[in-house]
Amino acid sequence: MNIMKIRVRVFGRYKDITKKDVIQLNIREGNTIGDVVDSFVKQYPVTERDKSRMMVSKNKMYTSFDTVITEGDEITLSPPVVSGG
Amino acid sequence: MITDRYRRQTLIKELGQKGQELLATKHVTVIGGGGLGSHSANLLVRMGVGSIDIIDNDIVDLTNLHRTSVFSEDDIGKSKALILEQRLQSVNTKVRVKGFNQKVTAKNIWSLVQNADVIIDGTDSIPLRLLINDISIQHNIPWVYAGVYETVGMVMGIHPKKTSCFRCIAQEIPKTKAQETPVLGSLPAIIAAIQCNETIKLLLGRQPSGLLIYNVWNQCFDTLNIKRNPHCPTCGIQKKNALRKK
């Protein structure tokens, strides 16, 4: 399977953690947003607690973890919604 | 008739006298009267929203005082909703303020919000926000989510079928109830002020700005203007599951 480099825009505290606005991740063809999240968490283990609840979008549309990524897709990752009041 | 009270506000081109008069005809329901809800209700009363309901079945606790500005030590043990009604009504006798010392449930939510032009989220619970979201999408009532944690706040105005909904961004509900939420005392006032701005825009028929994430510690502000999830189980055009029947 081909390896694709994808650009992932990050928001909120993920900018502090990564020290970047945009990061590059290597994923395999046919991988999903969930795989992107896995790869992100592996690279930045401090985000582990957010893993199943991250806000994810593809091409400026919110999406779910099972969405397949194709080359050139624009992905965003944001921390989960905060719940205190 | 707009009096001197709002003169400085009507000078703003985004509002004007017409907008101010429109606000006076609007009804907002605030669910939750704690850190966020009490500040939001306070601002909306002062800004001249015509009618405001505040719903909360909780009492004022000593631990609320660091992040609220309406309550005092004398209020400890008293109903948040009823104290807010009393205090805020005296701030502006030209608007109607009503407190409801009541828990919001799936059974009673419709009766509590059916007259609202906008619902304000002052809760501290994801399941309750999902309930507000369901009723909002089902009955086409805009609402404004806000939440705080440590030094970070989030706000999102939700206009049913036009913007993303809460379910588009909160896919999984936490399985366990969160421990006591750490919150910087200044944070809810800031986030509630942003929540109010989004509410006023919705009341005036304008579009909200998307999801706002603000870290007040490092002054990092993000705006995410991302479209609805087409497969969102609540608002999606191609939703997989029908809305729960109420």
Side-chain angles (χ1 to χ4, degrees), chain A residues 15-83:
Chain A
K15 282 185 182 174
D16 298 332
I17 292 166
T18 61
K19 311 274 185 231
K20 288 172 190 163
D21 292 344
V22 178
I23 59 164
Q24 280 213 332
L25 294 174
N26 292 326
I27 63 158
R28 289 177 190 282
E29 207 177 292
N31 273 180
T32 62
I33 296 262
D35 296 316
V36 173
V37 170
D38 284 344
S39 174
F40 180 74
V41 168
K42 201 178 272 181
Q43 203 162 325
Y44 304 99
V46 71
T47 62
E48 172 73 37
R49 67 175 177 168
D50 298 345
K51 194 173 166 181
S52 63
R53 299 187 296 118
M54 265 181 213
M55 265 184 247
V56 291
S57 82
K58 184 180 108 166
N59 301 335
K60 297 195 164 121
M61 232 181 261
Y62 287 110
T63 191
S64 50
F65 282 27
D66 57 4
T67 303
V68 174
I69 310 288
T70 51
E71 188 121 41
D73 283 342
E74 187 186 314
I75 309 298
T76 70
L77 297 182
S78 312
V81 291
V82 289
S83 62

Side-chain angles (χ1 to χ4, degrees), chain B residues 43-204:
Chain B
L43 285 169
L44 293 172
V45 164
R46 289 172 192 275
M47 290 172 84
V49 172
S51 168
I52 296 166
D53 286 346
I54 305 156
I55 307 161
D56 198 319
N57 70 328
D58 201 5
I59 55 169
V60 179
D61 181 85
L62 184 64
T63 64
N64 300 139
L65 299 188
H66 86 289
R67 64 185 189 283
T68 54
S69 54
V70 180
F71 305 127
S72 71
E73 289 181 6
D74 291 340
D75 300 323
I76 290 171
K78 296 176 188 168
S79 156
K80 287 179 182 173
L82 300 182
I83 291 290
L84 286 168
E85 175 187 322
Q86 184 194 334
R87 297 276 154 75
L88 299 185
Q89 190 64 84
S90 72
V91 167
N92 189 348
T93 54
K94 302 294 182 198
V95 303
R96 173 197 158 279
V97 185
K98 180 80 187 147
F100 294 86
N101 185 9
Q102 207 170 335
K103 187 180 166 84
V104 176
T105 65
K107 278 189 179 167
N108 69 9
I109 189 166
W110 175 235
S111 68
L112 294 167
V113 304
Q114 59 183 326
N115 297 318
D117 292 299
V118 172
I119 305 166
I120 301 261
D121 166 27
T123 72
D124 58 2
S125 139
I126 297 288
L128 185 48
R129 288 182 174 108
L130 289 169
L131 189 60
I132 296 170
N133 191 60
D134 278 359
I135 209 87
S136 151
I137 303 300
Q138 197 173 20
H139 295 282
N140 201 30
I141 303 172
W143 73 287
V144 185
Y145 152 72
V148 289
Y149 184 81
E150 293 178 342
T151 60
V152 175
M154 293 187 185
V155 178
M156 186 165 89
I158 294 161
H159 199 156
K161 308 285 167 70
K162 291 185 179 167
T163 66
S164 310
C165 82
F166 191 69
R167 179 60 91 170
C168 291
I169 62 170
Q171 298 189 45
E172 187 172 296
I173 307 169
K175 288 179 181 66
T176 53
K177 188 166 166 48
Q179 301 296 307
E180 201 167 40
T181 308
V183 182
L184 186 70
S186 56
L187 181 64
I190 297 166
I191 298 305
I194 297 170
Q195 184 181 36
C196 276
N197 288 343
E198 296 304 286
T199 303
I200 296 293
K201 282 157 63 180
L202 283 164
L203 290 172
L204 296 176

